[in-house]
Amino acid sequence: GADICGATFSPDGLHLATVDESSRCRIWLAESGEELRTLAGKSDEFDYRAGSRWGGHGVHFAGGLLACTGDGNDWKRVRLWRAPSWEVHATIKFDESKHCVRLSPDARTLACGGAGGLLHIFNLDDLSAPVRILAAAPDTSVRTVRFSPDGTLLAAGNWQGGFAVYDTRSRQRIQSFKHAGSNGLANTFSPQGDILALVSVATVRAPSPRGCLTPTVAANRVAKSFASACSTRRRAARRLGGTSSTQCG
């Protein structure tokens, strides 16, 4: 089968959504590995390879919603489905390509990053009035976004190795980090939300999202945890068929 390049579990652990290099976004029963369905948008042009191409950052489950970016003519769209009916909840159109999506833990807020250094934050109760933030230089792209476990912080990483942390209530930037020579591959919060691991091609650092850039956890310890998480996800992907080239984070 085609390589699985992105995967996300539903919060209740019952379903797994995967995106692969053949453009399929598929839903599986996590326990049995049975495929439930391949999601199809209202337009035959909608293609989910961007959800896989960007290291799995283009697909995410939270609450009863699944969010995924598109590709081809639809790079400028993000689609939301409701679980477990898998009906299209909303399709959001943008003026620029979107490479990453993330739903807040309570599934009430959606963050989308992409070209032009732009980060859009939506209140899902009113999609007509997003907050638009220039999170990076206009000549780069926002590559990864993550909410803290309590939903009060949002971290965004860009292609030039910059990371910024925002307060989700005020929408104000509260901290910035820079990894010289890196590409902002991934970021993830600790379960308590007090440590943010920043991952590039050759570097793992773990600063406090509310403090200074001084690492609070040894890089090799973070790297080992990161490798363990990747291994778990790859085993799940292999169980579902095909190989996995997922970039975790």
Side-chain angles (χ1 to χ4, degrees), residues 86-98:
W86 311 115
E87 295 178 353
V88 175
H89 173 68
T91 299
I92 307 171
K93 299 180 181 180
F94 299 90
D95 294 329
E96 68 286 328
S97 300
K98 289 302 175 189

Side-chain angles (χ1 to χ4, degrees), residues 103-189:
L103 291 157
S104 61
D106 62 6
R108 298 182 64 183
T109 306
L110 173 70
C112 308
L118 289 174
L119 174 65
H120 285 81
I121 303 174
F122 291 86
N123 178 342
L124 292 182
D125 293 329
D126 181 10
L127 294 174
S128 64
V131 175
R132 183 175 177 271
I133 297 173
L134 186 62
D139 62 346
T140 189
S141 62
V142 177
R143 183 182 175 106
T144 175
V145 286
R146 285 290 188 278
F147 285 94
S148 60
D150 63 4
T152 62
L153 299 176
L154 175 65
N158 66 64
W159 187 259
Q160 294 179 344
F163 293 87
V165 180
Y166 298 87
D167 184 298
T168 57
R169 297 186 183 94
S170 67
R171 306 295 200 251
Q172 297 298 309
R173 183 182 300 194
I174 61 174
Q175 185 63 275
S176 297
F177 312 103
K178 175 67 176 179
H179 281 198
S182 71
N183 65 356
L185 180 65
N187 65 72
T188 189
F189 282 92

Side-chain angles (χ1 to χ4, degrees), residues 52-75:
S52 60
R53 181 172 296 165
W54 298 95
H57 299 308
V59 59
H60 185 237
F61 248 129
L65 292 175
L66 172 67
C68 190
T69 58
D71 194 7
N73 294 330
D74 283 294
W75 269 14

Side-chain angles (χ1 to χ4, degrees), residues 221-244:
R221 176 179 163 191
V222 177
K224 287 178 181 178
S225 298
F226 182 74
S228 176
C230 286
S231 176
T232 300
R233 186 178 293 182
R234 289 190 180 109
R235 286 197 298 271
R238 284 197 296 269
R239 180 179 179 182
L240 298 174
T243 59
S244 172

